[in-house]
Amino acid sequence: AAAPDSAQAYFAAKLAHETDPSDVRTDLEAGQTGFVIVDTRSAEAYALGHVPGALSLPHAEIDERSIAALPLGALAVTYCWGPGCNAGSKGAAKLAVKEMIGGFEYWQREGHPVETGGSR
């Protein structure tokens, strides 16, 4: 087993890079500002259903121009479909942000609201 100091450092670092659907919804409902939700799936998947207010930015399309279009100073929280999809991780690596673990799959499983249509 890891030493207590090592375990604390590991989990603190992990939490600095991850969030979950419940925490994101709590922040949205509380009117928390300073972050933007980024759906890194395809535009087609986004149109079928996404986290309310999320921006559609497929991971393969993330470049300097799309990064510059994000709100200045906002923490981006990325997500993909679910644990079997790493587009959220790829987007988080490009944007140097947090990833919502569980992705859209777990957002839905927890019964959180879903928007459909369009692309942002």
Side-chain angles (χ1 to χ4, degrees):
D5 288 348
S6 175
Q8 191 281 327
Y10 170 81
F11 287 107
K14 185 176 177 178
L15 289 170
H17 298 92
E18 296 178 347
T19 188
D20 65 22
S22 180
D23 288 344
V24 170
R25 179 157 185 209
T26 297
D27 287 347
L28 289 172
E29 288 179 342
Q32 183 75 19
T33 60
F35 74 100
V36 60
I37 304 168
V38 179
D39 187 319
T40 59
R41 302 172 302 151
S42 69
E44 295 79 18
Y46 176 90
L48 292 174
H50 53 272
V51 173
L55 302 177
S56 176
L57 186 54
H59 77 88
E61 298 174 16
I62 297 174
D63 57 18
E64 289 182 23
R65 189 186 61 148
S66 61
I67 292 170
L70 294 173
L72 187 62
L75 169 67
V77 175
T78 64
Y79 72 89
C80 187
W81 171 249
C85 174
N86 69 0
S89 298
K90 290 176 180 179
K94 290 178 182 178
L95 297 171
V97 297
K98 280 193 171 195
E99 178 182 20
M100 184 176 74
I101 59 174
F104 188 65
E105 176 186 359
Y106 280 74
W107 179 268
Q108 287 182 301
R109 280 186 182 197
E110 292 182 16
H112 302 315
V114 172
E115 286 182 343
T116 59
S119 64
R120 291 185 177 184

